[in-house]
Amino acid sequence: MKNRKLMSGNEAIARGAYECGVRFASGYPGTPSTEIMESFARYPGVYAEWCPNEKVGLECAIGAALAGTKAMAVMKHVGVNVAADPLFTVSYTGTNGALVIITADDPSLHSSQNEQDNRNYAKFAKIPMLEPADSAEAYAFIKIAFALSAQFDTPVFLRTTTRVSHSKSIVEIADPLPVEDTTQIRFNAPKYVMVPAMARLRRIEVEKRMQALRAFAETFPENRAEINRTDVGVITAGIPYHYAKDVFPDYSYLKLGMVHPIPEKAIRDFADRIDRLFVIEELDPFLEEQIRAMGIPVTGKDAFPYTNEFDPGVVERAMRTDPVEDPAYVPPVVPPRPPNLCPGCPHRGLFYVLGKLKVFAAGDIGCYTLSFMKPLEGLHACICMGASIGMAHGMSKALGEKGKGKVVGVIGDSTFIHSGITPLLNAAYNRSDCVFIICDNRTTAMTGMQEHPATGFTLQGQSAKALDFERLAEALGIDQVRVIDPYDIRQTRAVIREELARSGPSLIVSRRACALFRRAAGPPQKPLRVDPGKCIGCRTCLGLGCPPISWRKFSDQAPDQIVKNTKKQDGNAVIDPQLCNGCTVCQQLCKAGAIVAGEE
Amino acid sequence: MSKPKDRATGEKSVRSILMAGVGGQGILRASDILCEVMIRTGLDVKKSEVHGMAQRGGCVTSHVRYGTCVHSPIAKKGDVGILIAFEKMEALRYLDYLRAEGIAIVNDTEIYPPAVNLGEARYPDDILTLLPLPPASVKMVRAQEMGVRAGNPRTENIVLLGVLSRYLTLEPSVWDEILKVSFPAKLVDANLTAFHLGRVA
Ligand code: SF4
Ligand code: SF4
């Protein structure tokens, strides 16, 4: 009983890795993968580090594996794009110890810029991939992944999706195995120096290994056939298995624990016993295409959606031939509740100014991406981590004179370190005319306050060298480096205007800690309030879109409550003291001096 | 399927609870505690929610599913027995998840979304008349007020757990036991009080 724990998929992966002797992990935070590193880092005797980006993270893990240990590289799906360069070649070299790469995919784009299906990477890079369906399997499969890596001398992928990473279910945990030191320096140039002559030979080993893995897959116990009713059978993997079992418990199932390579003979045997075969998989028809290529007719994407995650309802509707009854209640239309920048968010002042200056702001990945929305509308593009600087530079080169003083590239502190340094060097080298802005909120806020190389601390809480953005920019060759406080609207506006007017590249560091990051931001200030005796109803403060500020129409107020200060006024602003963090940005904007401190 | 007398443990089948509200209302903590109580009573449990973007003042939901053997951690629409809206309007947004005979526990608190703040959309005036449920199936609660009475307004989520506990036949002593280990020592009393205020509400 004591060992039955409620764990998220991410916590279960960390626990399983710890128990089977993994003592090295590296990665970069990214939803839905972040908690794997955070919870692994808390186990005794492990080494875990946040790296500047996923490529560095994977390279460190490769090095650790080469030294003979078990190493884990952790990232979200788009992180694998960043790490793809070492990925494709470590497939050739294999590992000396063991190497598992975790890719956490995000069907439905809950917190991502795209919905790529990283099972394709397994096939593309010729690396086996396991896919757990819940926390108990995540815990078991990470152990299997390390065993396979050692047995077949290959990196192994473990793929989760948001629903596996972030759902919680019961895991039966055990004591960690004793760890023996297996590290040593081994020289083996033919295996680890991938020049053409040697890589050609390793290339052959990769195909041999894939053949051996295909044979292994046929008897792998986690490729599990459950034979019940044989009129309908389902081939599936990962969490769609549970959705299907929920609505159709008596169909037969072939549940694949390993999605690459697939067990062809086991699939044929299963198909032979079944009248009608379904393949249930979110996103790409990855299994379906391979099974069809084997000449087996299946129902797959002709019935199931390509996009978004599934749930039991989606599976039911796709598979049932008789009509499915509609839910009992139909929700009335209610106003949407999109995510918003927090009260006192330092990004708000900056993007308010950028929106008013009518510049094109190439943006990046972070909380500040939300500034594209009304009423701020201060961000106008977002592609991937680090893209904003290169995009702004390219745009201003293409626009020439027309773009002068009109294009900026905005990037977060963690994102800048992730992949913004190289494009900033490019901007200096190729004489950009852009203004670049680092929204330096002193943390990786979006994923929940992770440390990075400029915070002064490591993942495991040791103090560290803190990167100095200003000195770095000078060293890269940026002409002008300025620092502003985005809580100071006048200064923010003035400095951005000055830098836009200048030719040559400049960098503005907009520095103010995330309002939720207590260590650096300190406690919130006293809330402000609107004095109805002074508010002229100009709505300027509403332009900030700060959650505590709302508009109260006079027509909704009791007649004896209405205080009218100008003729055309039809309402006034109100600040909710429960939510306001007292940043004073709205106060600075109010020309009537109606936003004041203190109680009524 | 026969109508259950007992919404928690009386049936072999899997049941679902859906908590819905706004980022920062303590929904994830509340559903964690609920799951721990169920595990302690010997039930199989799975829960699911989405982190990340959704935390920045957006909608937050947590599905809790329990029974003898749970497969999916998320419920399908039309299959939730109890919907707990931590914010009034969210009761309407997720109404299609509720079973015909389901129950809605609604926290009588309003948190305005951006469009309402800007005066571009109206906050629904009367949630009760918009809720097409039989009056007996709706439980309105002033959880924040009760949290204040318990000594800490941030115990609003635990007040709502207390209300929920009335609809589940889980031993009250197990709730107390789990609540005691779920908070730092100095917050335990306020949370226990909040839970029991909710339970008798
Ligand atoms: S508080 Fe100031 S800025 Fe806001 S509407 Fe009133 S007068 Fe305008
Ligand atoms: S002071 Fe104004 S801008 Fe700052 S948090 Fe309060 S309401 Fe928002």
Side-chain angles (χ1 to χ4, degrees):
Chain A
M1 193 67 180
K2 185 166 109 267
N3 291 336
R4 279 162 55 86
K5 293 240 183 297
L6 182 70
M7 285 185 147
S8 69
N10 284 349
E11 290 164 340
I13 290 169
R15 177 72 203 184
Y18 169 64
E19 282 182 18
C20 77
V22 180
R23 291 296 176 270
F24 186 100
S26 44
Y28 180 82
T31 312
S33 72
T34 312
E35 302 82 7
I36 300 172
M37 290 295 290
E38 289 183 322
S39 87
F40 180 77
R42 287 195 282 268
Y43 286 108
V46 305
Y47 178 77
E49 63 177 36
W50 286 135
C51 298
N53 66 33
E54 295 86 352
K55 177 174 185 286
V56 178
L58 177 55
E59 288 156 351
C60 295
I62 292 172
L66 231 145
T69 194
K70 290 176 179 164
M72 177 163 80
V74 182
M75 56 202 78
K76 69 180 291 179
H77 62 335
V78 288
V80 180
N81 303 338
V82 180
D85 204 357
L87 176 79
F88 280 77
T89 306
V90 74
S91 171
Y92 283 28
T93 62
T95 68
N96 177 19
L99 174 65
V100 173
I101 302 152
I102 296 174
T103 165
D105 290 13
D106 191 17
S108 280
L109 304 95
H110 293 289
S111 196
S112 303
Q113 67 271 36
N114 78 30
E115 201 183 35
Q116 67 189 50
D117 184 336
N118 275 10
R119 293 178 301 172
N120 294 303
Y121 267 116
K123 201 163 170 222
F124 196 5
K126 301 176 189 288
I127 292 173
M129 177 180 272
L130 303 180
E131 183 171 359
D134 57 24
S135 300
E137 283 192 354
Y139 166 82
F141 283 18
I142 184 75
K143 296 182 177 182
I144 298 171
F146 275 101
L148 285 181
S149 175
Q151 185 186 341
F152 291 91
D153 189 19
T154 176
V156 175
F157 268 123
L158 184 87
R159 176 196 189 231
T160 72
T161 57
T162 300
R163 286 291 166 191
V164 174
S165 278
H166 283 171
S167 292
K168 289 189 177 178
S169 53
I170 300 171
V171 180
E172 222 143 317
I173 62 168
D175 291 332
L177 292 175
V179 186
E180 44 176 321
D181 184 359
T182 49
T183 55
Q184 72 178 110
I185 295 182
R186 277 206 208 115
F187 297 95
N188 188 352
K191 188 159 184 278
Y192 296 117
V193 182
M194 288 300 94
V195 293
M198 300 204 264
R200 272 180 213 121
L201 299 175
R202 291 302 304 171
R203 173 81 187 78
I204 296 164
E205 295 303 314
V206 171
E207 292 307 326
K208 284 191 198 155
R209 182 181 77 208
M210 282 314 295
Q211 260 168 24
L213 280 160
R214 268 184 216 108
F216 169 84
E218 298 294 351
T219 55
F220 178 46
E222 295 299 340
N223 289 335
R224 190 176 74 225
E226 298 166 13
I227 306 297
N228 301 307
R229 267 170 62 178
T230 54
D231 53 335
V232 181
V234 171
I235 300 178
T236 186
I239 199 155
Y241 166 77
H242 284 304
Y243 299 152
K245 284 289 277 190
D246 214 81
V247 275
F248 302 111
D250 12 303
Y251 288 168
S252 291
Y253 287 85
L254 177 61
K255 182 192 173 289
L256 300 178
M258 181 148 76
V259 291
H260 185 71
I262 57 169
E264 293 203 5
K265 187 173 168 307
I267 289 170
R268 276 190 210 287
D269 289 350
F270 182 74
D272 283 347
R273 301 168 73 170
I274 302 296
D275 301 335
R276 179 153 190 223
L277 200 57
F278 285 85
V279 176
I280 309 184
E281 54 190 332
E282 292 168 333
L283 307 183
D284 294 346
F286 180 79
L287 301 172
E288 179 185 343
E289 282 176 358
Q290 296 180 67
I291 295 167
R292 279 185 195 276
M294 289 162 58
I296 300 173
V298 297
T299 304
K301 292 297 169 187
D302 34 356
F304 289 91
Y306 280 86
T307 57
N308 291 327
E309 62 176 0
F310 295 172
D311 66 21
V314 169
V315 172
E316 183 174 39
R317 268 164 212 279
M319 288 178 72
R320 275 216 349 218
T321 39
D322 52 330
V324 179
E325 61 294 350
D326 286 322
Y329 301 108
V330 182
V333 178
V334 291
R337 197 185 287 284
N340 189 3
L341 298 177
C342 303
C345 173
H347 299 320
R348 183 170 280 108
L350 173 69
F351 284 92
Y352 177 82
V353 170
L354 288 175
K356 291 284 175 225
L357 286 173
K358 301 260 179 270
V359 291
F360 187 97
D364 221 282
I365 309 278
C367 295
Y368 52 89
T369 315
L370 297 171
S371 311
F372 83 90
M373 286 188 293
K374 272 185 175 175
L376 291 173
E377 298 182 294
L379 182 141
H380 312 99
C382 165
I383 298 279
C384 69
M385 304 269 287
S388 61
I389 297 181
M391 283 168 67
H393 170 71
M395 204 168 167
S396 83
K397 285 285 178 198
L399 288 167
E401 275 303 311
K402 278 177 284 177
K404 268 221 151 42
K406 294 205 178 68
V407 183
V408 304
V410 195
I411 192 164
D413 47 346
S414 186
T415 331
F416 173 68
I417 296 165
H418 179 282
S419 45
I421 300 172
T422 330
L424 191 64
L425 171 64
N426 178 60
Y429 171 53
N430 286 310
R431 195 70 196 161
S432 194
D433 253 338
C434 288
V435 174
F436 305 105
I437 304 175
I438 300 179
C439 311
D440 181 10
N441 64 2
R442 314 306 298 149
T443 183
T444 318
M446 172 103 196
T447 42
M449 314 299 156
Q450 285 73 32
E451 306 293 350
H452 62 59
T455 65
F457 292 93
T458 68
L459 166 58
Q460 292 185 299
Q462 259 97 36
S463 64
K465 287 248 181 205
L467 171 65
D468 182 328
F469 292 136
E470 294 91 300
R471 282 175 58 201
L472 174 70
E474 275 166 35
L476 292 176
I478 297 295
D479 299 357
Q480 277 289 327
V481 183
R482 314 277 301 264
V483 179
I484 57 172
D485 175 1
Y487 273 7
D488 183 339
I489 295 293
R490 192 189 298 258
Q491 179 205 42
T492 298
R493 195 187 288 124
V495 171
I496 296 175
R497 275 211 183 114
E498 278 167 39
E499 293 310 317
L500 284 170
R502 199 191 300 276
S503 63
S506 43
L507 178 76
I508 300 173
V509 180
S510 173
R511 182 166 290 142
R512 173 61 78 160
C514 165
L516 302 182
F517 186 35
R518 291 276 173 270
R519 184 179 84 206
Q525 302 299 303
K526 289 239 154 58
L528 303 184
R529 66 183 178 89
V530 177
D531 179 352
K534 290 196 185 146
C535 175
I536 54 169
C538 68
R539 296 173 186 253
T540 304
C541 56
L542 289 162
L544 286 168
C546 189
I549 312 177
S550 60
W551 181 246
R552 291 283 151 83
K553 281 190 206 129
F554 286 151
S555 55
D556 288 344
Q557 300 181 16
D560 57 333
Q561 301 251 294
I562 296 171
V563 189
K564 213 168 170 175
N565 296 311
T566 62
K567 254 208 186 119
K568 278 198 241 144
Q569 190 176 353
D570 63 347
N572 53 13
V574 190
I575 292 177
D576 180 345
Q578 299 271 337
L579 296 177
C580 173
N581 114 324
C583 74
T584 78
V585 168
C586 58
Q587 189 176 37
Q588 296 169 47
L589 294 183
C590 177
K591 293 202 179 72
I595 299 179
V596 294
E599 318 248 308
E600 253 172 275
Chain B
M1 205 184 292
S2 68
K3 209 178 159 197
K5 284 192 220 77
D6 172 358
R7 277 168 206 279
T9 49
E11 286 232 336
K12 283 253 182 292
S13 63
V14 173
R15 315 226 128 246
S16 312
I17 294 171
L18 177 60
M19 300 184 181
V22 180
Q25 285 195 299
I27 291 185
L28 309 188
R29 170 57 77 87
S31 67
D32 271 351
I33 293 172
L34 173 61
C35 288
E36 295 288 357
V37 172
M38 286 171 162
I39 292 175
R40 188 63 63 91
T41 2
L43 289 163
D44 187 21
V45 183
K46 284 186 177 171
K47 66 167 254 182
S48 190
E49 60 238 357
V50 172
H51 305 218
M53 282 292 231
Q55 282 178 326
R56 305 285 174 265
C59 308
V60 172
T61 59
S62 180
H63 295 236
V64 174
R65 307 197 69 229
Y66 57 98
T68 40
C69 172
V70 181
H71 278 291
S72 171
I74 35 178
K76 62 175 180 177
K77 289 185 175 164
D79 202 32
V80 163
I82 305 174
L83 168 65
I84 311 170
F86 282 55
E87 196 275 354
K88 242 164 52 175
M89 192 169 75
E90 299 309 301
L92 299 176
R93 195 186 310 279
Y94 295 99
L95 208 55
D96 50 348
Y97 274 92
L98 206 58
R99 304 169 75 97
E101 71 280 17
I103 281 181
I105 299 170
V106 183
N107 185 12
D108 199 354
T109 201
E110 296 180 0
I111 301 175
Y112 288 171
V116 173
N117 271 343
L118 295 175
E120 286 168 3
R122 281 191 82 88
Y123 191 90
D125 282 328
D126 189 355
I127 302 282
L128 274 180
T129 52
L130 282 170
L131 266 178
L133 301 179
S137 301
V138 182
K139 174 82 181 163
M140 286 293 259
V141 198
R142 293 179 181 273
Q144 208 166 37
E145 260 177 50
M146 287 190 251
V148 172
R149 266 201 281 149
N152 185 342
R154 303 202 43 95
T155 59
E156 185 182 19
N157 57 345
I158 306 303
V159 171
L160 290 166
L161 274 187
V163 179
L164 170 69
S165 74
R166 283 277 296 279
Y167 297 88
L168 306 169
T169 51
L170 298 163
E171 261 304 302
S173 65
V174 180
W175 282 100
D176 284 4
E177 204 183 305
I178 298 291
L179 283 167
K180 277 180 199 158
V181 297
S182 301
F183 299 95
K186 59 174 189 206
L187 295 177
V188 168
D189 279 346
N191 279 289
L192 280 175
T193 313
F195 178 82
H196 288 280
L197 282 175
R199 199 169 160 85
V200 297

